[in-house]
Amino acid sequence: PSDHTMIAWLAGTMAQMPGPKYIRLDKGAFPPLYRDDTDFGKGVAAVRPGRDVTIVATGVMVHRAVRIAEELEKYSVEAAVVDCYRLKPVNEDALLEAVGADSRVVTLEENSIVGGLGSLVCEVLADRGRSLPVKRLALADQFRFELGSREKLQAIDGLDVAQVCKAILEFRG
């Protein structure tokens, strides 16, 4: 979940569902993205409109995507931000609607680049015959031996605001 409103909704909803569930909670306080009366049943939500590029993220990285979109405004790039908060099962129709028909897509995640959100988005686009350029930004598929803060380790993989903005600007051409 990307904010406290979503966490509260998930706790109540999942308590009513049979079987095992998994929610990854992040530490720290994050600004709200949603109103208290938001229905999170779709699994995908448009957080910010834009027309030049669509950044699809999940969890805490949605906040990073919003900061990146704000930074890209300085370069006259309007970046939409989409929160894909339910990965299994993904709501393919909602994801395709949120991404749109003619935008470049960037996925942003704090997960392995192999088999994560980026792979899921690519598979949905391919399976539905949607031919859009996609740039996946995630943790490199390699062993890490560096130590440091979360921010330092993310920067090593190019996931800090400055490097993601640079990657998006290069991707846009």
Side-chain angles (χ1 to χ4, degrees), residues 3 5 33-40:
D3 80 351
T5 305
L33 294 170
Y34 301 102
R35 296 182 0 206
D36 288 340
D37 62 349
T38 301
D39 176 7
F40 293 103

Side-chain angles (χ1 to χ4, degrees), residues 45-134:
V47 173
R48 178 189 167 102
R51 65 173 186 207
D52 298 319
V53 64
T54 300
I55 304 170
V56 181
T58 190
V60 70
M61 295 305 275
V62 175
H63 294 276
R64 173 85 39 94
V66 169
R67 288 200 331 262
I68 290 162
E70 291 167 351
E71 185 68 22
L72 288 170
E73 286 177 347
K74 297 175 184 177
Y75 302 93
S76 300
V77 175
E78 293 182 27
V81 175
V82 172
D83 185 353
C84 186
Y85 51 86
R86 187 180 70 212
L87 302 177
K88 287 191 93 48
V90 67
N91 183 337
E92 293 184 11
D93 292 332
L95 179 60
L96 290 172
E97 179 183 336
V99 166
D102 57 1
S103 180
R104 290 179 175 269
V105 179
V106 173
T107 61
L108 179 63
E109 62 187 307
E110 188 183 41
N111 186 36
S112 172
I113 197 160
V114 177
L117 176 65
S119 298
L120 178 129
V121 169
C122 288
E123 289 170 11
V124 169
L125 291 171
D127 289 349
R128 294 294 196 90
R130 187 77 65 85
S131 188
L132 295 175
V134 177

